Amino acid sequence: MNQQTHPDKAAHRPSEAPEPQIAWTDGEGASRTAALFGDSFGGVPDGVWAAPGRVNLIGEHVDYNGGLCLPIALPHRTFVALARRDDGVVRVVSALAPSKVWSGTVADVVPGSVSSWVAYAAGPLWSLTQDGFGVGGFDAAVDSCVPLGAGLSSSAAIECAVAVALDEVYGLGQLVLGDAGRARLAAACVRAENEVAGAPTGGMDQAASMRALAGHALLLDNVDASIEQVPFDLESAGLELLVIDTRAEHALVDGQYAARRAACHAAAGRLGVATLREVDDLDAALAVLPDPVEAARVRHVVTEIARVREFTDLVRAGRVREVGPLLDASHESLRVDYEVSCAELDLAVATARAAGALGARMTGGGFGGSAIALIEAGAAASVAGAVAAAFASAGMGEPAFLAAVAGPGAGRVAQS
Ligand code: ADP
Ligand code: MG
């Protein structure tokens, strides 16, 4: 698949500033997946669809607490060349393992029966069927320039690309409804990830991949999945957003995520609220929580939701240059109170700040994955160079970099 993200092929010469990973164009994604489709299944697909990865600007670990978050869609997308089949057969192949076509039937795509990446690729078939939509078999070939497992949501990208493809080839009529239909497709993708892939994630990733608008950040209220499109134009403010993929991998991440969710749920129960979103007097809440760890988790969630509001207000007011301290505070809260950072993320953030970033923080679930840094336009090479050098000095693996410009949500790709 994406050669730029393959560890063996990404070795930059240390003396050079690392190049950011460039997103594929429509034509590139379409020709790659159409070629894989032809090689794997013969013939041509009905079309090619794509869905983006995302990066969250602020509002981390709050989606499952009914909080607010503010992701943007990345220009980096997962592409799916797909053809409808009316015989109930489902076949999927990924450029990651082009010789291994998975083949089954519609009846095989149920929770507990499909594993590995196939659960993400075929899962929307199950959840859309559960929702009463008339979907059936298909052949699908997948390729992506979203780094996998980097906290940039390659999982939602693959689900959402398949879901929009199924919407069109089976005439489900959701995309043509606009955001209301996209919200329905996103909800189906969340259930595919939770129930078919067995990953207990919140709703942010699929909302961003499905519902984002180019040039906007998506303010998502996780109480009811309502959104507001917030114009987000860093270029006119003379700024850029640099994504630093630490490529760090840490064990026990899944257990940690579940433990954070459980702690929040337990604290909400003790406080007599449905979700921590309802806590409006933080000091009073902290005073009645006996466990200091649980109290720290609550402090992160409540203060982080407040930071999302402040950040959004500044962006709306055309004061995006002032959001840096909120990014820094978010990182500290995640590091100290939520304990989901790690040495690589802390080093990336500290080095980016020292190299001139206005603010920086880890983004995504943590324990590895990616960080973001808000930097002056044109500073990407120097900040990335500083981070790469710091990683090399610390004996850490080589990080990767992406320039994040708010791209569009999932949809059909113009054929080249
Ligand atoms: P993230 O969403 O942060 O990238 P996840 O662990 O949630 O990390 O999802 C990564 C998983 O999604 C991969 O392990 C794989 O199962 C699946 N996946 C994503 N993109 C692809 C792809 N192009 N080909 C095959 N599997 C993919
Ligand atoms: Mg994911």
Side-chain angles (χ1 to χ4, degrees):
M1 50 113 25
N2 178 11
Q3 299 204 337
Q4 288 142 322
T5 64
H6 192 288
D8 298 335
K9 298 195 176 154
H12 298 286
R13 286 173 293 281
S15 56
E16 290 178 7
E19 291 291 320
Q21 297 180 13
I22 305 298
W24 295 345
T25 61
D26 278 10
E28 200 172 354
S31 62
R32 280 175 178 260
T33 47
L36 180 63
F37 187 100
D39 292 347
S40 307
F41 309 125
V44 292
D46 295 341
V48 177
W49 290 262
R54 62 97 190 94
V55 70
N56 190 22
L57 300 174
I58 197 156
E60 215 63 74
H61 280 281
V62 300
D63 58 352
Y64 54 82
N65 287 301
L68 301 167
C69 51
L70 192 69
I72 59 170
L74 288 171
H76 301 73
R77 292 173 294 168
T78 294
F79 293 80
V80 174
L82 185 143
R84 170 179 170 154
R85 296 181 63 116
D86 291 320
D87 58 0
V89 169
V90 177
R91 295 190 296 179
V92 289
V93 66
S94 167
L96 281 180
S99 60
K100 287 192 192 153
V101 173
W102 181 87
S103 185
T105 67
V106 169
D108 293 328
V109 184
V110 289
S113 291
V114 279
S115 58
S116 76
W117 80 279
V118 176
Y120 298 97
L125 164 62
W126 173 81
S127 48
L128 288 168
T129 306
Q130 292 279 305
D131 288 344
F133 289 116
V135 283
F138 59 88
D139 288 336
V142 178
D143 203 349
S144 181
C145 66
V146 182
L148 261 68
L152 302 176
S153 209
S154 70
S155 59
I158 191 170
E159 294 150 8
C160 293
V162 169
V164 292
L166 293 178
D167 179 71
E168 290 205 41
V169 300
Y170 279 101
L172 309 186
Q174 297 305 297
L175 280 181
V176 294
L177 286 177
D179 187 65
R182 286 178 176 270
R184 240 171 257 133
L185 295 176
C189 290
V190 174
R191 291 202 319 287
E193 178 139 352
N194 291 167
E195 298 183 41
V196 185
T201 54
M204 171 174 65
D205 302 353
Q206 294 79 3
S209 186
M210 194 64 85
R211 302 172 72 185
L213 273 189
H216 292 72
L218 187 82
L219 179 63
L220 173 67
D221 185 334
N222 288 280
V223 168
D224 56 4
S226 62
I227 59 157
E228 185 190 324
Q229 303 284 357
V230 181
F232 187 67
D233 178 9
L234 290 179
E235 198 181 346
S236 65
L239 296 173
E240 280 179 39
L241 191 69
L242 181 68
V243 176
I244 305 161
D245 171 6
T246 65
R247 290 184 166 151
E249 282 179 27
H250 292 277
L252 303 174
V253 176
D254 293 350
Q256 294 287 352
Y257 185 88
R260 295 301 179 283
R261 282 189 82 138
C264 292
H265 188 72
R270 246 184 278 290
L271 295 168
V273 291
T275 69
L276 295 180
R277 170 72 175 279
E278 293 170 33
V279 174
D280 38 35
D281 185 341
L282 177 59
D283 290 337
L286 296 179
V288 298
L289 289 172
D291 176 9
V293 173
E294 210 170 277
R297 306 298 190 240
V298 171
R299 186 164 51 227
H300 165 70
V301 171
V302 174
T303 60
E304 182 77 354
I305 293 170
R307 282 187 287 273
V308 177
R309 293 188 200 283
E310 283 183 62
F311 189 114
T312 309
D313 286 347
L314 286 171
V315 171
R316 282 200 200 102
R319 294 164 58 191
V320 70
R321 295 191 75 88
E322 295 170 43
V323 303
L326 292 169
L327 295 174
D328 294 347
S330 172
H331 186 79
E332 281 311 286
S333 181
L334 288 157
R335 184 178 73 81
V336 178
D337 278 345
Y338 222 62
E339 295 183 277
V340 291
S341 191
C342 63
E344 292 87 347
L345 287 167
D346 291 344
L347 184 61
V349 162
T351 308
R353 284 180 202 147
L358 282 69
R361 69 176 200 91
M362 57 158 280
T363 184
F367 303 106
S370 297
I372 51 171
L374 186 66
I375 60 175
E376 299 290 348
S382 63
V383 175
V387 173
F391 271 49
S393 302
M396 294 171 181
E398 196 178 2
F401 301 90
L402 286 73
V405 177
R412 194 175 187 128
V413 168
Q415 296 277 10
S416 54

